[in-house]
Amino acid sequence: MEIKRRKKGYDYGECEICNAYMEEKYIKQDFWIRGELIVVEDVPAGVCPQCGERVVKADVGRWITRLLENTEQIAKAPKISVPMIKFFDEEKTKV
Ligand SMILES: [Zn+2]
């Protein structure tokens, strides 16, 4: 019997929460570093098609850590603006 060893990405196995088979996707991951929001694009991750749970490989995690330490590169990176809302809005404070 021939063993099929076709490399088709990394096997993330099953979701810990709902046991669905994880799919490999490239995601955007956000990090708060010293009060600054940094978004890392195209992070290879296993994503659960049912509950959205995400897992990254240990070496991917280590690489992200290295990217986030590169303050020079971060300073030169393009900026995006994000909406920021307050937890207590006008409506809710009226009792
Ligand atoms: Zn799941």
Side-chain angles (χ1 to χ4, degrees), residues 26-31 37-43 63-65 67-68:
Y26 291 87
I27 59 163
K28 279 193 181 81
Q29 189 77 272
D30 49 288
F31 300 90
L37 179 64
I38 297 165
V39 180
V40 183
E41 275 192 302
D42 300 330
V43 178
W63 181 243
I64 290 170
T65 307
L67 285 174
L68 294 174

Side-chain angles (χ1 to χ4, degrees), residues 50-69:
Q50 279 193 50
C51 71
E53 175 75 359
R54 297 156 161 199
V55 287
V56 293
K57 290 181 273 180
D59 59 340
V60 170
R62 277 193 292 272
W63 181 243
I64 290 170
T65 307
R66 285 188 59 184
L67 285 174
L68 294 174
E69 280 166 358

Side-chain angles (χ1 to χ4, degrees), residues 15-20 22 48-53:
C15 175
E16 278 184 17
I17 296 156
C18 58
N19 298 322
M22 303 291 260
C48 175
Q50 279 193 50
C51 71
E53 175 75 359

